[in-house]
């Protein structure tokens, strides 16, 4: 009963890697996609609008390698940043350009995660790469301002805290969740969160201390950074690796990017446990 | 990093010894070489294509045409010829497929004696075959870098002498078919596949228009090497000129002009001089290498050879060659027709290209001309330059039909800017 009409955008020959909603335009989405499941080939970036009846392509660009993540600018409604398999970050302008505004090539391996800081004063971009580093950039991608090293495996995800300025959480193939202080260029916390690779992490939107991680071990864990000896909750039930976790902004629902399972009604009860009501799409 | 390896690691949930029941990952062990071993095209140039017997190259020997492109290609990328492992030249009409001529051209180009050279004749595909031969030597590890060329002077030699053939030929239908003039095979194809005169003329017109447009917009400027030649007129007077423009293109051609031409090969036929390729002079050269060696020398990568095929077809319907060679090459490359952005199919005759039904973006041999040994190499130069002009990662196919009943095709990838 979740959705009676499903709006679909299809692009033959491309496999989606990331979708992000525009912070400015209510129905606008950006989608990063790759050829051949991102294993080889080129990539595409799509800007899409949801209409009453379906999904319309506003703009698209091609890239010579797969694109693995996209993030909208928090300063300009037309600007997006994408991360590619060639180690580059590209800045795109959906209003004008056919070619990227800027291409920054510092990472030496695939860029798997890009995130634009939501704290308005900051306007910084974070990128996580298979070269094991997280880099912080100015909004023009002139050059990286900080390179955060410490992970002992590929970085899959690097996300700004929506609450704490200058704070990034990252998830890695080394099985740790790390929290970084960008100003000090230091790692404040390294949590051995899973015994397998962690493919995704994200901050809870209503509690600045909570971070969710999704792992190849098929579990989602929620961590309270004040006490990381064990997770506050562990969500099991999937049979495959968790590709992406995204705590929603409203009504505390957790979207799991793997099999589109919508877990609704998850207020954090006083004893720290979630009430689970799992519906699968 | 090997993405496939990393991502397939995600399929086994941590801690669980057995993989999930429906999920397995296989190491394919496919024939694809590791990136460093790929055969890549570094650069290519060609001369303008001159009209045989009447055009600017009519008094130019093929070694001079060949030498112009061989030197230009290496000079452009700053590579010394002593780095070449081998040179292969496609040629059809010279005695012995031009083996001696090629070695002379080699020295005229200032190449050192220690670099070897040979020629190859697979009729109309010779220029492409030269490339495939050099690619093969690179793949087998006997050379790191090689030059693949093609040259033909149809002004100075023609398809006259068939050589010494057994009298047993007359009792063997297929053997006999090898002697059918190319134009007659075109008529056979037109008849068998129902390609009308009008369709052929339209195609020919299209070829002229596209070629004129490409030339006028400067698309060929980058690839053409100007050649200084001597031309003798009827009174024996000589003059020097620099040739830098394709001579075969007839920009003002109309359908009416084409319709007026009489069939050239069969009294009530559909193949005319206007919808056939022209007899021409020209040369082209392509520098190839093993990717690791190319990158080590700091040379650019213009294209990657992804697959190729040569197939045999009925000699009396030789025009269908590309229709069979292209799918075979695509299969070898692991690609489909829809993956290809540009097809460069030699337009021996409009009849056969109409049958092969693929798109040419720049016009081909009907407008430009078909100097036999040169064409295959020329097509590769034109194709890769066009893919580069389009500015993004793309695939292209070079293909041609071959007299005596074959087709050849090769698939190239332009990796992107």
């Amino acid at each position: 009963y979740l959705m009676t009409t499903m709006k679909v955008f299809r692009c033959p020959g491309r496999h989606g890697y990331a979708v992000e909603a525009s912070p400015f335009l209510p129905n606008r989405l950006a989608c990063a996609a790759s050829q051949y499941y991102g294993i080889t080939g080129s990539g595409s970036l799509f800007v899409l609008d949801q209409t009453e009846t379906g999904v319309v392509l506003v703009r698209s660009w091609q890239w010579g390698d797969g694109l693995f993540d996209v993030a909208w600018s928090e300063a300009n409604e037309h600007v997006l940043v994408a991360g590619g398999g060639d180690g580059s970050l590209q800045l795109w302008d959906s209003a004008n350009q056919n070619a990227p505004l800027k291409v920054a090539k510092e990472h030496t391996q695939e860029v798997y995660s890009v995130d634009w800081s939501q704290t308005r004063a900051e306007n910084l971009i974070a990128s996580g790469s298979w070269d094991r580093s997280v880099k912080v950039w100015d909004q023009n991608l002139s050059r990286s301002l900080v390179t955060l090293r410490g992970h002992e495996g590929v970085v899959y995800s690097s996300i700004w805290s929506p609450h704490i300025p200058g704070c990034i959480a990252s998830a890695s193939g080394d099985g740790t969740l790390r929290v970084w202080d960008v100003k000090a260029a230091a790692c404040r916390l390294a949590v051995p969160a899973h015994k397998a690779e962690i493919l995704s992490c994200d901050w809870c939107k209503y509690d600045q201390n909570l971070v969710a991680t999704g792992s190849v071990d098929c579990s989602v864990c929620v961590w309270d950074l004040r006490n990381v000896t064990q997770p506050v909750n562990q969500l099991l039930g999937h049979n495959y690796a968790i590709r992406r976790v995204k705590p929603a902004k409203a009504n505390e629902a957790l979207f799991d990017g793997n099999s589109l399972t919508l877990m609704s009604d998850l207020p954090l009860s006083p004893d720290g446990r979630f009430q689970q009501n799992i519906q699968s799409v | 990093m090997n993405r496939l390896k990393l991502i397939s690691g995600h399929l086994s949930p941590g801690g669980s010894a057995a993989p999930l029941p429906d999920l397995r990952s296989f190491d394919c062990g496919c024939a694809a070489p590791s990136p460093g071993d790929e055969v890549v095209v570094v650069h290519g140039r060609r001369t303008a294509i001159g009209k045989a017997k009447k055009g600017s190259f009519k008094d130019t020997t093929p070694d001079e045409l060949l030498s112009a492109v061989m030197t230009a290609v290496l000079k452009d990328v700053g590579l010394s010829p002593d780095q070449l492992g081998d040179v292969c030249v496609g040629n059809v009409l010279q005695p012995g497929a031009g083996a001696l001529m090629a070695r002379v051209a080699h020295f005229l180009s200032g190449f050192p004696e220690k670099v070897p050279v040979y020629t190859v004749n697979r009729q109309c595909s010779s220029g492409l075959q030269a490339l495939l031969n050099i690619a093969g030597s690179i793949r087998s590890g006997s050379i790191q870098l090689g030059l693949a060329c093609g040259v033909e002077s149809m002004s100075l030699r023609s398809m006259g002498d068939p050589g010494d053939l057994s009298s047993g030929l007359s009792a063997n239908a297929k053997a006999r078919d090898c002697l059918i003039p190319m134009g007659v095979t075109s008529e056979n194809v037109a008849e068998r596949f129902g390609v009308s005169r009008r369709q052929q003329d339209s195609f020919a017109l299209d070829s002229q228009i596209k070629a004129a447009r490409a030339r006028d917009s400067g698309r060929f400027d980058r690839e053409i090497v100007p050649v200084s030649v001597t031309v003798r007129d009827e009174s024996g007077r000589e003059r020097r000129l620099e040739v830098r423009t394709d001579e075969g293109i007839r920009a003002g051609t109309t359908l009416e002009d084409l319709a007026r031409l009489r069939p050239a090969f069969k009294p009530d036929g559909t193949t005319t001089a206007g919808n056939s390729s022209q007899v021409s002079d020209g040369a082209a050269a392509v520098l190839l290498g093993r990717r690791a060696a190319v990158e080590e020398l700091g040379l650019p990568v213009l294209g990657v050879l992804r697959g190729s095929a040569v197939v045999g077809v009925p000699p009396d319907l030789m025009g269908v060659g590309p229709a069979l060679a292209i799918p075979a090459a695509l299969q070898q490359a692991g690609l489909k027709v829809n993956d290809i952005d540009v097809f460069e199919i030699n337009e021996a005759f409009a009849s056969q290209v109409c049958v092969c039904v693929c798109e040419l973006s720049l016009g081909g041999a009907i407008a430009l001309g078909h100097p036999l040994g040169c064409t295959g190499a020329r097509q590769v130069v034109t194709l890769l330059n066009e893919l580069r002009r389009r500015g993004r990662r793309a695939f292209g196919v070079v293909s041609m039909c071959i007299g005596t009943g074959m087709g050849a095709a090769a698939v190239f990838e332009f990796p992107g800017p």
Side-chain angles (χ1 to χ4, degrees), chain B residues 110 249 289:
Chain B
I249 304 175

Side-chain angles (χ1 to χ4, degrees), chain B residues 305-340:
Chain B
L305 178 64
R306 286 293 175 207
S308 65
V310 183
V311 301
V313 302
D316 62 334
L317 291 172
M318 67 99 199
V320 305
L324 281 99
I326 292 173
L330 287 175
Q331 188 181 48
Q332 212 240 336
L335 294 168
K336 302 237 157 39
V337 171
N338 290 337
D339 296 320
I340 307 300

Side-chain angles (χ1 to χ4, degrees), chain B residues 364-377:
Chain B
I366 287 176
L368 293 173
H370 175 26
L372 303 175
C374 162
T375 287

Side-chain angles (χ1 to χ4, degrees), chain A residues 38 65 110 130 156 197 239-240, chain B residues 3-4 6 10 13 20 23:
Chain A
D65 207 323
E110 287 79 346
W130 289 5
Y156 286 111
E197 295 188 273
N239 296 319
Y240 295 130
Chain B
R3 274 183 219 169
L4 186 56
L6 193 81
H10 301 169
L20 298 166
L23 233 45

Side-chain angles (χ1 to χ4, degrees), chain A residues 17 35 38-39 41-42 64-65 68 85 109-110 130 154 156 196-197 199 216-218 239-241, chain B residues 1-4 6-7 9-15 20 22-23 334-335 339 392-393 395 415-416:
Chain A
Y17 259 82
Q35 214 181 354
I39 291 170
S42 35
D65 207 323
F68 296 129
Q109 304 265 24
E110 287 79 346
W130 289 5
V154 300
Y156 286 111
E197 295 188 273
L199 302 185
V216 169
D217 68 9
C218 308
N239 296 319
Y240 295 130
Chain B
M1 173 165 293
N2 190 335
R3 274 183 219 169
L4 186 56
L6 193 81
I7 291 171
H10 301 169
L11 294 172
S12 317
L20 298 166
D22 295 328
L23 233 45
L335 294 168
D339 296 320
R392 57 180 171 77
R393 181 166 181 262
F395 290 95

Side-chain angles (χ1 to χ4, degrees), chain A residues 198-268:
Chain A
I198 311 177
L199 302 185
S200 179
C201 68
D202 199 1
W203 297 84
C204 277
K205 302 297 181 283
Y206 54 90
D207 184 332
Q208 69 173 28
N209 300 301
L210 295 183
V211 176
T213 54
S215 168
V216 169
D217 68 9
C218 308
S219 75
V220 175
C221 288
V222 182
W223 303 88
D224 187 327
L225 299 181
R226 295 166 298 190
N227 179 2
V228 294
T229 47
Q230 58 180 24
V232 295
N233 210 316
Q234 221 182 355
L235 303 167
L236 307 168
H238 280 301
N239 296 319
Y240 295 130
I242 308 297
R243 265 294 271 112
R244 193 164 285 235
V245 291
K246 240 177 170 24
K249 294 183 164 80
N251 69 30
E252 295 111 14
L254 188 69
F255 281 88
D256 181 321
N258 178 31
S259 63
L260 291 174
T261 299
L262 173 59
M263 300 186 216
S264 61
D265 302 329
L266 295 172
L268 187 59

